[in-house]
Amino acid sequence: MTDNSFQPTETRSIGPDPTLLLVDDDGPFLRRLARAMEARGFEVEIAESVAEGLAKAKANTPKYAVVDMRLQDGNGLDVIEAIRERHGCDRGETGGDRLSCQTRRRR
């Protein structure tokens, strides 16, 4: 019998700044993801709208962010741009401190 359970072989360091902002208007998904990321060592802030995400990003700029691009009150890219501005990043910047985003497709 094959054991299909996930067994991590290494522990990856989050780094000295474990702050993570999650922005999504799907409340149950947002809370499940927040719990999962907290269990992995992140200090999680959640927001359910662009307005809330912008306020939280400006009050305590996170090192990491997972942002839904299509939110009811606007575009999640506005939150990403606010975080980039707070970190002093240019749009085309690459390297270890760049802010990247990954989108979750809606069905």
Side-chain angles (χ1 to χ4, degrees):
M1 182 163 77
T2 304
D3 181 11
N4 291 329
S5 64
F6 176 71
Q7 297 287 328
T9 57
E10 66 180 72
T11 302
R12 294 186 182 198
S13 173
I14 296 170
D17 182 358
T19 57
L20 170 65
L21 176 62
L22 303 176
V23 185
D24 200 305
D25 51 8
D26 180 345
F29 168 77
L30 182 63
R31 287 183 286 283
R32 281 192 314 271
L33 182 58
R35 283 192 304 273
M37 299 311 284
E38 285 171 343
R40 286 164 177 77
F42 286 93
E43 294 175 8
V44 179
E45 285 279 340
I46 62 171
E48 294 191 38
S49 67
V50 170
E52 188 179 1
L54 287 170
K56 290 191 175 187
K58 290 176 182 174
N60 184 24
T61 306
K63 175 70 175 178
Y64 304 98
V66 177
V67 181
D68 186 346
M69 294 296 109
R70 290 185 278 165
L71 295 157
Q72 292 179 3
D73 66 335
N75 190 329
L77 287 174
D78 294 337
V79 177
I80 297 298
E81 186 60 31
I83 294 169
R84 283 181 183 268
E85 287 174 6
R86 300 285 293 199
H87 280 292
C89 298
D90 293 330
R91 280 194 176 270
E93 183 175 322
T94 60
D97 277 347
R98 76 172 182 222
L99 182 68
S100 61
C101 73
Q102 184 172 12
T103 58
R104 177 174 66 98
R105 293 189 187 265
R106 294 211 184 250
R107 295 178 183 198

